[in-house]
Amino acid sequence: MKKLLLPLLFVLLTPSLLAQDFNAGEHYDVVSSGVSTPKQVMEFFSYFCPHCYNFEPIAQQLKTTLPADVSFKRAPVSFLGRDMGPELQRAYALAVALNVEHSITPALFARIHTERKAPANRADVRALFAEHGVAPDMFNSRIDSMPVLAEVAGYDSIREKLNITSVPTFVVNGKYVIKIGALKSQQQFNDLVSYLLNLDAQESGNATN
């Protein structure tokens, strides 16, 4: 987790009135020579991460500002939560597949960080899904299915490729990792994402001039 993040969680919600200049190494790192198509913002997170929980309103506000041609995706990591880390990776993949992620994610965050009753086993996760309309038989038949396991393998593969070691971490276009500790407002965060989404096109245009 980036230093100084917790104090910034408050000021990040305050609009910035100043135009921003963004620099590699200061506001973001370049971690890949490739770029995702179509445009994409990906958040690496863990349900067990208190900073990810606190960052939720910031991430949700960012989503409302993204253009229609930009997707917002999440990749849960397995390195927090001990044995339940991989279990909640599967839970997230299943929630997306069943189109209940919008209710499961806030419920899991609240269960862990507000109620202090983190799921201790698969039965606890199954019970939470049941509370949000997923029948236990459906949960049991899908949680170890090949599509869910393939999604989890994808999360791990891209995390390893980009060497993601802390959460929350935001990666733009599969290439740029945002340095959260360098940001001072929600607006600056939004502006940096917008800048990075268009950076490759800007550089291509400059190269041809």
Side-chain angles (χ1 to χ4, degrees):
M1 186 55 226
K2 315 302 186 288
K3 291 182 179 179
L4 303 180
L5 175 57
L6 285 177
L8 288 175
L9 288 171
F10 299 98
V11 297
L12 274 170
L13 296 172
T14 304
S16 171
L17 301 179
L18 302 176
Q20 301 296 334
D21 292 321
F22 300 116
N23 304 299
E26 180 183 358
H27 299 98
Y28 63 93
D29 289 324
V30 182
V31 294
S32 171
S33 59
V35 60
S36 64
T37 303
K39 295 179 180 180
Q40 178 188 99
V41 178
M42 177 171 282
E43 179 192 5
F44 290 87
F45 81 104
S46 168
Y47 288 116
F48 292 99
C49 167
H51 305 303
C52 299
Y53 170 64
N54 289 329
F55 220 89
E56 272 293 281
I58 297 167
Q60 294 304 317
Q61 203 283 333
L62 170 71
K63 287 173 62 176
T64 68
T65 72
L66 296 177
D69 63 340
V70 177
S71 62
F72 183 92
K73 296 185 178 296
R74 306 180 100 166
V77 301
S78 61
F79 54 73
L80 293 179
R82 299 186 177 181
D83 291 344
M84 290 304 295
E87 193 68 40
L88 292 195
Q89 279 187 308
R90 295 188 186 194
Y92 177 81
L94 179 58
V96 171
L98 297 179
N99 197 31
V100 293
E101 186 273 335
H102 62 283
S103 61
I104 293 296
T105 285
L108 272 171
F109 271 133
R111 186 67 53 87
I112 294 169
H113 300 286
T114 303
E115 302 171 24
R116 306 293 183 181
K117 296 179 180 178
N121 49 48
R122 180 170 291 187
D124 289 345
V125 179
R126 181 170 52 243
L128 185 142
F129 270 69
E131 292 173 12
H132 293 272
V134 178
D137 287 347
M138 173 65 73
F139 179 92
N140 289 338
S141 68
R142 299 286 295 275
I143 192 66
D144 291 318
S145 66
M146 288 303 297
V148 166
L149 296 180
E151 282 296 308
V152 170
Y155 304 148
D156 290 337
S157 177
I158 191 169
R159 178 186 62 79
E160 292 172 4
K161 176 183 177 181
L162 298 178
N163 192 31
I164 303 300
T165 59
S166 64
V167 287
T169 293
F170 292 84
V171 181
V172 177
N173 282 354
K175 182 175 180 179
Y176 307 108
V177 173
I178 290 177
K179 297 173 75 71
I180 293 174
L183 304 178
K184 297 179 174 61
S185 71
Q186 173 84 58
Q187 188 61 54
Q188 190 181 34
F189 180 52
N190 296 352
D191 289 346
L192 176 55
V193 169
S194 179
Y195 171 81
L196 294 174
L197 285 168
N198 295 286
L199 184 56
D200 288 284
Q202 295 170 6
E203 291 178 346
S204 297
N206 292 335
T208 58
N209 291 334

